[in-house]
Amino acid sequence: MKKLIKKAAIGMVAFFVVAASGPVFAAVGDQGVDWAVYQGNQGQFGYAHDKFSISQIGGYNGIGIYWQSTYASQVQSSIAQGKRAHTYIWYQSVTNTTLAKNILDTMLAQVQTPKGSIVALDVEDGVANTEVILWSLQYIKDRGYTPLLYGYKHFLTNNLDLKRISDKFGLWMAQYPDYNVTPVPNYNYFPSWDNIQIFQFTSTYIAGGLDGNIDLSGVTDNGYTNGNATKPVTETPAIDAGKEADKVKGTAKEVGMTVKVNFSSQTYATGEAIPDWVKGTSYRIIEKSGDKVLLDGIMSWLSAYDVETLNASTGGPSVNAGQTHVVQYGENLSSIAAKYGTTWQELARINALSNPNIIYQGQTLNVTGGQSVATSGYCVVEYGDTLSSIAAQFGTSVERLVSANGITNPNLIYAGQVLNF
């Protein structure tokens, strides 16, 4: 989210300390992150214990409606890691209900987190109108989601009748003590107000920058079964329940192979439990290190013994040891990595990037060791693509794409995904 520097230290309210020490709901005290385009197609968690993410779907910037191309794949990646995924909308200078309805009808039709999950309005800039915000939050609630208002106390209290809003709807409030790495909340800087359900306590959750949040009320459970992040109550386009694994067609596990997670496997390499619905779903190996593999859309390392190989032939193009890439407008490390069959972490490492969120148009990046997938036989899914449109573009069929990529649900593809054809 856009950050505004805050210097005022505000004392915390004692009852939040009590709530954190004696949880009433399953998710009270859970920490998590929020993502915009800067966190790439797969997003980024700060710590293994993070339990939720909140991704920006897009919004209104005071001029027009825009989409965040990373939203769908971030949601899919978060859910694949067993986290609770939620949504927020940038909401700048929305001053009448006609405009608000147009924005919300457009955005809510594309929400990929479950019914009941959070859909927050990010109000931190421009002109704000209390009546419009109240109407908008109710509109979100009436359509089956959990509405929250996000912002900084100074902006919200100066531009809205915040008490009227917080009397009826929950708040997601931000306040930072400084810009040092802050892995846990500093409640000396808590922005005291009624009905704060999520506290964003830092924009430097880890080195390099990432928003850190803590659930104060259990609100991030909404939309998920019994507080369990393994499977949402409602199926969405970003979710495909696990099915019976296909017959194993190979034994080697190499980058480019299509695999499924074994039903008998229990944990990721981080030690966190693998959700049951992940097991049996087809994935592509995008990175290998020793006896561990990283799967496309999972982003948590697995033992190579915990996956069943469906396609023993990678069919990938040869490695170009001296390859470089010139950054184009709108690209980020994640989208570039997808084009070359590598990861954004590897691109950051080999290019000595101190902040992987900052690259610029015209910059030359070393992609040595990557596999270019920009040649015949591969394509990178762009926002709005469908299997039908990709098949038409490359002169193939939906059936062939489904077969070649081990796709169990032909309606489920996401931006940044690499497809064989």
Side-chain angles (χ1 to χ4, degrees), residues 236-237 239-241 243 387 402 406-413:
T236 78
I239 303 161
D240 184 28
K243 295 179 173 64
L387 285 186
V402 168
I407 296 173
T408 56
N409 182 350
N411 295 317
L412 171 63
I413 59 174

Side-chain angles (χ1 to χ4, degrees), residues 28-43:
V28 171
D30 279 358
Q31 291 184 195
V33 295
D34 64 84
W35 296 332
V37 69
Y38 309 108
Q39 282 70 52
N41 290 325
Q42 305 299 339

Side-chain angles (χ1 to χ4, degrees), residues 71-397:
Y71 170 73
S73 57
Q74 285 180 353
V75 170
Q76 197 265 1
S77 173
S78 183
I79 292 175
Q81 296 178 70
K83 314 295 186 181
R84 301 186 292 270
H86 299 275
T87 302
Y88 76 90
I89 301 169
W90 181 264
Y91 219 61
Q92 178 182 346
S93 296
V94 182
T95 55
N96 63 79
T97 56
T98 300
L99 174 60
K101 185 178 187 302
N102 184 28
I103 297 166
L104 293 178
D105 284 345
T106 302
M107 293 290 148
L108 293 177
Q110 299 297 322
V111 167
Q112 299 211 2
T113 53
K115 281 296 181 73
S117 64
I118 296 165
V119 174
L121 299 180
D122 184 347
V123 179
E124 54 180 287
D125 198 9
V127 179
N129 180 290
T130 299
E131 299 301 332
V132 173
I133 296 301
L134 282 167
W135 184 93
S136 300
L137 293 169
Q138 185 64 49
Y139 196 79
I140 292 169
K141 182 177 180 180
D142 290 344
R143 274 137 195 85
Y145 297 98
T146 299
L148 292 181
L149 174 63
Y150 171 90
Y152 300 86
K153 182 178 178 180
H154 182 267
F155 181 86
L156 295 179
T157 54
N158 282 355
N159 291 274
L160 296 167
D161 185 344
L162 191 57
K163 185 178 186 307
R164 280 186 63 201
I165 295 171
S166 64
D167 282 347
K168 190 172 183 180
F169 299 104
L171 303 179
W172 171 17
M173 197 83 84
Q175 181 74 39
Y176 318 138
D178 50 43
Y179 293 92
N180 297 318
V181 173
T182 308
V184 295
N186 182 343
Y187 285 105
N188 291 316
Y189 290 84
F190 185 81
S192 177
W193 197 267
D194 289 339
N195 208 11
I196 297 178
Q197 300 194 20
I198 299 177
F199 174 29
Q200 186 180 98
F201 56 86
T202 183
S203 64
T204 45
Y205 195 36
I206 58 174
L210 182 68
D211 293 335
N213 301 271
I214 185 166
D215 184 342
L216 300 174
S217 67
V219 68
T220 62
D221 268 352
N222 291 3
Y224 294 83
T225 304
N226 298 324
N228 191 332
T230 59
K231 188 176 179 181
V233 173
T234 306
E235 298 294 334
T236 78
I239 303 161
D240 184 28
K243 295 179 173 64
E244 290 294 327
D246 292 344
K247 182 179 178 181
V248 176
K249 300 177 181 177
T251 56
K253 280 83 174 178
E254 299 295 342
V255 171
M257 290 183 180
T258 302
V259 298
K260 288 189 176 183
V261 178
N262 290 337
F263 283 101
S264 59
S265 56
Q266 298 300 319
T267 61
Y268 294 121
T270 59
E272 293 188 90
I274 299 173
D276 286 340
W277 71 269
V278 169
K279 301 173 187 178
T281 303
S282 297
Y283 304 96
R284 185 173 181 270
I285 298 176
I286 58 174
E287 191 172 345
K288 182 180 179 183
S289 178
D291 64 350
K292 292 184 174 60
V293 294
L294 195 62
L295 307 184
D296 188 21
I298 297 297
M299 307 312 290
S300 286
W301 289 94
L302 284 159
S303 166
Y305 299 102
D306 286 337
V307 296
E308 297 172 343
T309 308
L310 302 181
N311 180 2
S313 173
T314 64
S318 60
V319 173
N320 181 340
Q323 210 162 18
T324 58
H325 176 86
V326 178
V327 177
Q328 304 299 308
Y329 180 79
E331 287 186 322
N332 55 47
L333 279 191
S334 293
S335 64
I336 295 169
K339 291 180 181 178
Y340 294 93
T342 184
T343 65
W344 69 263
Q345 293 94 333
E346 179 63 11
L347 288 180
R349 184 188 68 79
I350 65 178
N351 289 280
L353 300 177
S354 58
N355 187 344
N357 293 322
I358 300 177
I359 58 174
Y360 54 87
Q361 184 178 2
Q363 182 178 3
T364 300
L365 296 178
N366 185 353
V367 291
T368 300
Q371 294 180 318
S372 175
V373 296
T375 59
S376 177
Y378 288 81
C379 73
V380 179
V381 178
E382 297 181 355
Y383 189 82
D385 279 349
T386 64
L387 285 186
S388 296
S389 66
I390 293 171
Q393 181 180 358
F394 292 99
T396 185
S397 67

